[in-house]
Amino acid sequence: MRYEELEGLRTCPFCGAGAHIRRNASKRFQVHCKKCDCQTAWTSKPAAIVAWYNNAEFYERTHGKAKPEETKRNVRNELTEAGKML
């Protein structure tokens, strides 16, 4: 199974985590949440992306929007990057 990151892909409507696209051996695609198991059916790439957006919009309309996933800070990297800017 291959994973593909798509910039700007909508976050998961259930948990707010990021999502990626998976491709199986049959060359079918599925949008899949990285944290929970929310996913679309296996279909063509455009249809999977459209289904992800439609399902997320419907869920958010009926249940409200999920809180975005919190990202953990890496202080060591932040200090290294800050040092480069000095």
Side-chain angles (χ1 to χ4, degrees), residues 6-32:
L6 186 62
E7 188 176 329
L9 189 60
R10 190 175 190 158
T11 59
C12 178
F14 293 112
C15 68
H20 52 222
I21 298 175
R22 302 193 301 182
R23 187 181 83 178
N24 64 12
S26 301
K27 296 184 179 165
R28 304 300 285 168
F29 294 87
Q30 177 185 62
V31 179
H32 182 263

Side-chain angles (χ1 to χ4, degrees), residues 2 4 11-12 18 26 31 36 46 48 57 66 71 81 85:
R2 295 185 72 177
E4 180 182 329
T11 59
C12 178
S26 301
V31 179
C36 69
E57 181 183 346
T71 56
E81 292 300 316
M85 298 175 95

Side-chain angles (χ1 to χ4, degrees), residues 11-18 35 59-60 63-70:
T11 59
C12 178
F14 293 112
C15 68
K35 188 174 182 182
Y59 182 82
E60 289 172 356
H63 295 89
K65 194 168 185 172
K67 294 179 183 174
E69 183 182 28
E70 291 184 23

